[in-house]
Structures are given as structure tokens and as C-alpha cells.
């Protein structure tokens, strides 16, 4: 039995492979899981040469053509979990800089106010500025050197269930060589059925298999809905001395209003490289909000423009992050499966950090899988040990302190700062034990409701449309993401009913997909035949795999499924 969103090719015999453990996703959680599992097996085999375990049937599936190509983050790494995974990692890993200088600003349209000190939860002194792309390439090499097979260019496209539909028994990889109409091309190759004793999902935020699993088993019924943010990033080369290596500059405020949640980062790296970007919570009310334009507008602030003047943008990308915190994490283990990293929601939104939590959760999943292999027991009860390990670890300690953080900003910045201060004083509790929340897309307002809202929305809509020097239009930015897909393949953005786009959304929300997509995938084209004068048109080849449309579509009719493996962005150096 399989769960699928797209109609599969009929009558195809699929190669079967037996696996002990299949890890879906070669990001920080997946690679940490693979490496830790290898370490534990090596240790076991030294102690028990008479009963060795094999690594031969442990696989990592990575949809990018090369390890790291689809990984994007700021990124400042809290080194805690890497110190546990590989104590000597600092001697060999690509660390761009050590954080030495930090500053925090509140921006208004023309002015800025510097905080006297960095708020304690956000302090980064001593942490490591990394390129997650370069870091994952290095960590992936470690995994391969340790004897684990990494299949790059293979997406996990469907979960395999047993006949009763209760147990995850593996993953089907994507079919290759299928045309736009869903027919086999001459180069057709069916996907593999990887029959696995344990399947570990490490797909990043809003993983497509994780979404299947959550829906299938109604895993989110007892938790807060997950809420996400989208981070839009550019990498710049700036004139020497403009931003120090190891410098971190954060800001709140303009161009967002006090009704939206978000902020910016700038990280000074080696060779005058600067990572910069803006993260916006995907629970805003105004459907015209355009995260890519917000980033462009933010760069025109006098403080920011001064840093970038004379520099050059060299890379672009976007991804989503789970903001919901502890109360939005669904059950993370069950019959044949575990969920790790951003896929589960292990991210501290107060610190805007998740890489260290992803790595640690991958390690704990590996420890659980290892014990299951030793005991030859892959029952749900055995895999539930993963949850017990998370609860007993510093993951829970850290996320518990921030458990109500994002929900506290539900009514805007000012009340959010109040709740945040209260939570600081009460160990994360604040006014209530559990602050409730709503899924972000349900907060979006109809266009006719906005008029009553008042306020100048010009900044959010984005005044900066692209001068080609400091600010860029979406297509120029997109060019710098290195995105490529096989053109002749079924759309990997599946819209359940385009009549809703063309008939309802066009008047109710003004088709916000055109705005929230940072890669110009969605366009409304003029059409004389269309009752409302416009029809939706998709450019799936532009997609940078951020998953925003799957999250923020107000009618929940867009589903992101993995395109043919190997396609997507190329986040070289990001
Ligand atoms: Fe992101 Fe969806 Fe646009 Fe792809 S189509 S870039 S997943 S918003």
C-alpha cells in the first residue's frame, strides 16, 4: 500500500531493495543520524566481533544532485551537538568565522536605534558562522567515508505501508523519465521500493513524506498547528572592511509593521562575504505581502544600504522554518518511522536556530535505530524510545524555555515583547501554560477586509522593485539561485482545483501565491475566455523548494511533491 498525491505510472514493475534503515533527506538531521549510526555500529562490532552489524543496508536519500545543494540557512551554528557528534570537528569542518561582534537594531523607515546589548537568548558570541551548503558537503563526505551509502538525485516520493496500512515499511523513490502528461519517456526508469525496517524522515521543514504521515495517522490532532516562517537570503561580496569577519547584525522593525513578525540578519564571513536575509512569519494578514520584496525594501534602509554600497549580490535562495515550538511537535516515532529535525519542528524560534537541534535529534534517532537493530525489535514501542530520548535530552530543556515564544506575538510586536519578557521571568510559561495558536494561512484576510484595517502597507508590498545594484526583481534573484529542473516532467506543484484560483481567490485574496512565492512560479495571466479575466499559470522549473505555497495557500489546495530527483536550486556557498 502507498500514499500518493500524484497518480503513479500504472503497470510498472519496481525494483525492490531491502534496507535496515532508510534516512530520507541528506541535511543536518539526516547526515547526523547516518554518521551516529555508523559510529555506534563500529563500536558494537569492536565489542562483539562474533555478532557484527552491517552498514550495507543503511541508506540516505537526498533529492539534490550533490550533497548540500538544496541546503540553505543563515547560518550561525550553536556548536553543542557537533561537539557531541565529532569532538574534533572544528579542526576539519569548513567554519567561515567565529562570532566576535554582535549588534541589534530597531529600524524605522529613516532611523535606527541600537540596543545597548544583544538580548540574552540571541547572543551568539563564540558560535560559528557557516555556509550550510559547504558544511553539509563536508559532513556528507564523512558519512560516505564511514561506509554509509548516500543516493543523491533520489527523492523519497511515497511512503510504503503494510497491507493493514498501520506500519511504514519503507519509501518509494521518484520515477525518472516521465513527461508532462505523466507518460513514460524513452529514458524512463521506475523508482525503487526501499523496504526498510526503520524509516527516518529528515526532509526539512514541511517535508512531503512527513506531511503524508501526519495526515495518514492524524498525528497533529493533539498539538498546536505548526506555524512557519520564510527566510529569503542573499549572499553578497562587499568592499573590504565594511562588515567585519565574525560580525552579526540583527534588526527588527521596518519594513514590517508592528502587526507582522519577522526580522533581518547580516553575518560577516571570510573574504568579505556577507550572508544577509529577512525572515517573515507565515501568519501575516495581508495577502499582498511579498517576502522577496520585503528583503529588497529592507536593503534600502540607510543603515543597511551603507553596508552594501559598492558590493555585489552573488547568490539567492529561500526556505521555510518551523516556528511553532514544543507544542507544535507531533509524535516523532511510531510503527516503523521516526521524524527528525525541521520536519518534526525541532527549531528554537526565539534564537532562530535549528541546525544544532536537527543534528541532535538525528543522533537520538540513530541511537534508537541502533538499539532496534541490536534487539531485532522494530516495534512501535521500541521506536517510541526516540521520544523518551528527546525528552531526557537538552533538546527539551532548550525548547521548553521557548515553548510559548512565537505564540506570544500573535497580536503583534508590542504585545509580543511584553509576553516575551514575562516568559523570560517565568521559565518560558508567561501568562498561560500553553499559549494556543492557529495555522498561519487562516490569518490571511480577504482584500475587502484590508481596507477597514487602514495603515500604510507600501513597505510590505515592497517599494523596491529592483535597480539591479542594491535591489533585484524576483527573476534576477532567481537566476542567482542556480535553479534547474528537467522541463518535460509533471508539475511538482499540484493544485487540487484551479477553478478556486481563477474564480474565488482572484477576488477574495488577489492570488497571494504570486506574492509569497519567492521564485515567480505562480502567475495570473490575462485571458479573454476566463470569467474573471485571469487564469493561473505555473512555472514549476523556477521552484527553489521552499514549500511556502504548500503552507500559506489560504485554501490549502496546493501540494508540493518532489520533482524528478536532481532538480532544484544549487545553493553553492549559501
Ligand atoms: Fe516555494 Fe512553492 Fe514557490 Fe516552489 S512554488 S519556490 S515551493 S513557494
Amino acid at each position: 500500500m502507498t500514499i500518493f498525491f500524484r497518480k503513479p505510472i500504472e503497470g510498472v514493475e519496481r525494483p525492490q531493495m531491502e534496507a535496515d534503515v532508510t534516512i530520507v533527506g541528506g541535511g543536518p538531521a539526516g547526515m547526523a543520524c547516518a554518521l551516529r549510526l555508523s559510529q555506534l555500529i563500529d563500536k558494537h562490532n569492536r565489542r562483539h566481533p562474533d555478532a557484527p552489524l552491517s552498514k550495507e543496508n543503511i541508506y540516505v536519500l537526498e533529492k539534490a544532485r550533490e550533497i548540500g545543494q538544496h541546503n540553505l540557512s543563515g547560518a550561525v551554528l550553536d556548536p553543542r551537538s557537533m561537539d557531541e557528534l565529532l569532538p574534533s570537528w572544528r579542526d576539519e569542518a569548513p567554519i567561515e568565522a567565529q562570532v566576535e561582534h554582535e549588534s541589534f537594531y530597531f529600524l524605522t523607515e529613516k532611523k535606527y536605534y541600537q540596543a545597548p546589548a544583544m538580548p540574552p537568548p540571541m547572543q551568539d558570541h563564540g558560535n560559528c558562522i557557516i555556509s550550510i551548503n559547504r558544511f553539509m558537503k563536508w559532513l556528507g563526505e564523512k558519512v560516505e567515508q564511514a561506509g554509509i551509502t548516500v543516493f543523491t538525485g533520489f527523492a523519497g516520493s511515497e511512503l510504503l505501508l503494510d497491507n493493514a496500512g498501520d506500519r511504514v515499511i519503507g519509501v518509494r523513490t521518484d520515477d525518472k523519465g516521465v513527461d508532462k502528461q505523466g507518460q513514460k519517456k524513452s529514458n524512463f526508469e521506475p523508482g525503487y521500493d526501499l523496504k526498510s525496517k526503520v524509516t527516518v524522515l529528515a526532509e526539512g521543514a514541511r517535508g512531503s513524506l512527513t506531511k503524508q504521515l501526519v495526515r495518514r495517522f492524524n498525528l497533529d490532532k493533539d498539538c498546536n498547528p505548526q506555524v512557519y516562517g520564510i527566510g529569503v537570503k542573499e549572499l553578497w561580496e562587499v568592499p573590504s572592511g565594511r562588515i567585519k569577519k565574525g560580525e552579526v547584525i540583527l534588526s527588527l522593525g521596518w519594513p514590517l509593521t508592528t502587526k507582522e513578525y519577522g526580522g533581518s540578519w547580516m553575518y560577516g564571513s571570510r573574504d568579505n562575504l556577507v550572508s544577509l536575509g529577512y525572515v517573515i512569519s507565515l501568519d501575516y494578514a495581508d495577502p499582498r505581502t511579498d517576502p522577496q520584496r520585503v528583503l529588497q525594501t529592507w536593503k534600502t534602509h540607510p543603515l543597511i544600504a551603507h553596508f552594501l554600497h559598492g558590493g555585489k549580490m552573488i547568490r539567492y535562495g529561500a526556505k521555510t522554518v518551523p516556528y511553532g515550538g514544543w507544542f507544535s511537535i507531533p509524535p516523532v516515532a511510531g510503527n516503523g518511522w521516526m521524524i527528525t529535525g525541521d520536519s518534526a519542528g525541532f527549531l528554537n524560534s526565539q534564537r532562530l536556530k535549528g541546525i544544532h537541534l536537527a543534528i541532535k535529534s538525528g543522533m537520538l534517532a540513530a541511537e534508537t535505530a541502533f538499539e532496534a537493530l541490536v534487539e531485532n525489535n522494530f516495534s512501535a514501542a521500541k521506536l517510541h524510545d526516540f521520544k523518551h530520548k528527546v525528552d531526557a535530552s537538552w533538546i527539551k530543556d532548550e525548547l521548553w524555555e521557548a515553548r510559548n515564544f512565537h505564540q506570544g506575538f500573535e497580536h503583534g510586536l508590542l504585545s509580543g515583547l511584553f509576553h516575551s519578557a514575562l516568559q523570560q521571568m517565568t521559565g518560558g510559561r508567561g501568562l498561560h501554560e500553553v499559549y494556543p495558536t492557529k495555522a498561519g494561512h487562516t490569518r490571511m484576510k480577504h482584500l475587502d477586509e484590508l481596507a477597514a484595517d487602514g495603515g500604510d502597507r507600501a513597505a510590505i508590498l515592497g517599494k523596491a522593485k529592483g535597480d539591479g545594484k542594491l535591489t533585484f526583481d524576483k527573476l534576477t534573484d532567481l537566476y542567482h539561485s542556480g535553479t534547474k529542473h528537467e522541463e518535460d516532467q509533471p508539475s511538482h506543484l499540484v493544485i487540487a482545483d484551479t477553478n478556486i484560483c481563477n474564480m474565488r481567490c482572484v477576488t477574495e485574496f488577489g492570488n497571494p501565491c504570486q506574492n509569497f512565492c519567492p521564485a515567480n512560479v505562480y502567475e495570473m495571466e490575462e485571458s479573454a475566455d476566463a470569467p474573471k479575466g485571469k487564469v493561473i499559470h505555473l512555472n514549476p522549473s523556477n521552484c527553489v523548494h521552499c514549500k511556502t505555497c504548500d503552507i500559506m495557500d489560504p485554501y490549502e489546495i496546493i501540494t508540493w511533491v518532489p520533482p524528478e530527483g536532481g532538480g532544484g536550486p544549487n545553493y553553492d556557498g549559501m
Side-chain angles (χ1 to χ4, degrees), residues 493 516-519 521-522 542-550 560:
L493 289 320
F516 58 57
C517 172
V521 169
Y522 300 92
N542 288 359
C543 177
V544 295
H545 300 196
C546 72
K547 319 282 181 72
T548 304
C549 51
D550 194 296
W560 187 97

Side-chain angles (χ1 to χ4, degrees), residues 206 211 547-553 556 558-561:
R206 194 68 158 199
K211 183 175 166 181
K547 319 282 181 72
T548 304
C549 51
D550 194 296
I551 295 163
M552 200 53 180
D553 156 38
E556 295 186 274
I558 301 178
T559 301
W560 187 97
V561 297

Side-chain angles (χ1 to χ4, degrees), residues 397-426:
D397 295 341
E398 179 174 337
L399 291 184
W400 190 248
E401 292 282 309
R403 62 192 180 279
N404 284 316
F405 180 75
H406 182 73
Q407 300 94 299
F409 285 82
E410 173 161 324
H411 299 294
L413 181 65
L414 299 178
S415 73
L417 293 174
F418 165 75
H419 285 291
S420 170
L422 208 59
Q423 289 163 11
Q424 281 287 108
M425 290 186 276
T426 54

